[in-house]
Amino acid sequence: MKVLAAGDHFVRNSLIAEALRRALADTSLELTELTLPWPLEPFGPVAEVAEASDSEDALIKALDGVEVCVTQMAPFTERVLEASPALRMIAVCRGGPVNVNADAARARGVRVCFAPGRNAASTAEFTIGLMLSALRRIPEAHHSLALEGDWDGSYYTYEHSGLELEDTPVGLVGYGAVGSRVARVLTAFGAEVEVYDPYVRGDVLGMRAGSLDALLTRSRVLTLHARLTPETRGLIGARELELLPHGAVLVNAARGGLLDTEALCDALDSGRLAAAALDTYAEEPLPEGSRLLSTPNLVLTPHIAGASRAVARKAAQIAAAEVARYARSEPLAHTLN
């Protein structure tokens, strides 16, 4: 079986190759490699697919005679699929195959699988880190002392000291793989956890809110974990921010499109919100002159919540396990078709 490892500088080809050789120890494997530039170059729309590295020509060349491709960012557009008649399976090392034209793959009999949950623990941990950074003003204090040499006593005044999580009402919008982990950690901190997710049935840690508005009115801290869909785009705007208690803190390590960033900046500028922490944005990278870059009390990171070495290894292992199932003619665990 000829397999292409189309890795990048995060899910490296060496990780994919190691995982494939372990999962396919009893299979004759011809492995070739293509290294894509992400994250040193940002992903973006490529033809009709939403998020991929702009490398159609290099991918077409590398796919010559390839039956299976394991990748994270390769752009499987209709053009690429049309030019790759030997291809029968694409294993995507991501939570969803947004770099694949699913209809075009289905029409050509190409199986598409993916790696849900690969970065759930990493993103949950990072969310807690963002939350603590915003609540306790950690980045500001570091900048003041380490970069300006200022031992600023105002951080210990009542007015400027931050909140702690114990006994603080924290609202979670979304209770999937990430949100449920965040809830467990918050419970260990002693926070008062409340969850809003109309798509999740059964018990949740903490209290379940009957509506988004009800959750917002009680949340001293709000953290977003919903999927971005047409229904959730712009879910938190000016009206919703106004419902939060005065001086609330907002965290978003899910998808930037969930949040109206202009409304967020207005709320921070006015003091309506005490702080916010963001890892994702409606437009990535942030455009030059973005208002977010000059808004006070805002912690910003460049979409790195899922960037842990464990995530890269897990992604390669999940994809390799799917390739092994394909080689044994077994049902795939996570597939579109």
Side-chain angles (χ1 to χ4, degrees):
M1 180 168 60
K2 187 173 182 179
V3 179
L4 171 65
D8 47 57
H9 297 283
F10 178 54
V11 182
R12 299 170 64 174
N13 280 328
S14 59
L15 298 175
I16 296 172
E18 179 185 4
L20 285 170
R21 291 190 176 108
R22 287 185 177 181
L24 296 158
D26 299 327
T27 302
S28 176
L29 186 65
E30 180 185 350
L31 185 62
T32 60
E33 296 183 1
L34 171 67
T35 300
L36 300 171
W38 189 84
L40 304 182
E41 295 179 13
F43 64 67
V46 178
E48 73 278 8
V49 302
E51 298 178 2
S53 289
D54 191 2
S55 53
E56 286 181 290
D57 291 340
L59 182 59
I60 288 170
K61 183 177 179 181
L63 284 170
D64 185 27
V66 165
E67 182 178 352
V68 174
C69 180
V70 180
T71 190
Q72 181 176 222
M73 290 291 174
F76 279 95
T77 61
E78 185 163 15
R79 174 179 170 237
V80 169
L81 291 162
E82 178 66 27
S84 310
L87 189 66
R88 289 294 173 266
M89 180 187 181
I90 304 165
V92 178
C93 299
R94 306 174 72 170
V98 292
N99 56 315
V100 179
N101 182 327
D103 292 336
R106 187 178 298 111
R108 289 166 176 80
V110 178
R111 308 290 299 278
V112 179
C113 60
F114 49 99
R118 62 168 190 152
N119 63 359
S122 175
T123 303
E125 291 178 8
F126 199 88
T127 298
I128 297 296
L130 288 175
M131 196 176 294
L132 292 171
S133 294
L135 285 168
R136 303 301 298 274
R137 305 181 65 193
I138 295 170
E140 295 170 73
H142 168 81
H143 186 277
S144 175
L145 180 58
L147 301 183
E148 299 177 359
D150 183 13
W151 189 279
D152 188 351
S154 71
Y155 287 102
Y156 223 112
T157 64
Y158 184 85
E159 291 79 11
H160 292 156
S161 57
L163 299 172
E164 57 187 48
L165 284 171
E166 188 172 27
D167 298 325
T168 295
V170 181
L172 282 73
V173 179
Y175 196 74
V178 176
S180 58
R181 283 172 167 81
V182 169
R184 291 204 298 270
V185 177
L186 290 171
T187 300
F189 270 104
E192 298 176 4
V193 175
E194 186 170 4
V195 175
Y196 174 71
D197 191 330
Y199 302 103
V200 169
R201 300 290 181 262
D203 294 335
V204 299
L205 276 177
M207 185 170 70
R208 183 189 285 275
S211 69
L212 177 59
D213 284 3
L215 177 86
L216 295 173
T217 60
R218 293 189 287 262
S219 297
R220 196 77 170 84
V221 178
L222 180 70
T223 178
L224 307 183
H225 301 287
R227 290 185 177 275
L228 183 61
T229 67
E231 292 75 26
T232 61
R233 185 173 294 277
L235 183 69
I236 304 298
R239 188 190 76 84
E240 288 74 25
L241 294 173
E242 190 67 28
L243 292 175
L244 291 168
H246 192 277
V249 172
L250 182 145
V251 176
N252 185 17
R255 280 290 183 260
L258 296 170
L259 178 65
D260 181 338
T261 52
E262 285 297 314
L264 175 70
C265 291
D266 288 342
L268 289 166
D269 280 336
S270 69
R272 183 79 182 76
L273 289 185
L278 308 178
D279 183 55
T280 59
Y281 311 91
E283 183 178 353
E284 297 181 1
L286 283 176
E288 186 177 351
S290 169
R291 188 178 170 191
L292 291 169
L293 299 173
S294 59
T295 297
N297 302 318
L298 185 53
V299 178
L300 304 176
T301 53
H303 203 153
I304 57 172
S308 77
R309 293 183 178 183
V311 170
R313 292 194 301 271
K314 287 177 193 175
Q317 291 162 4
I318 293 169
E322 292 285 54
V323 177
R325 293 184 188 98
Y326 166 81
R328 295 192 297 263
S329 299
E330 296 175 359
L332 302 181
H334 311 290
T335 181
L336 291 181
N337 49 2

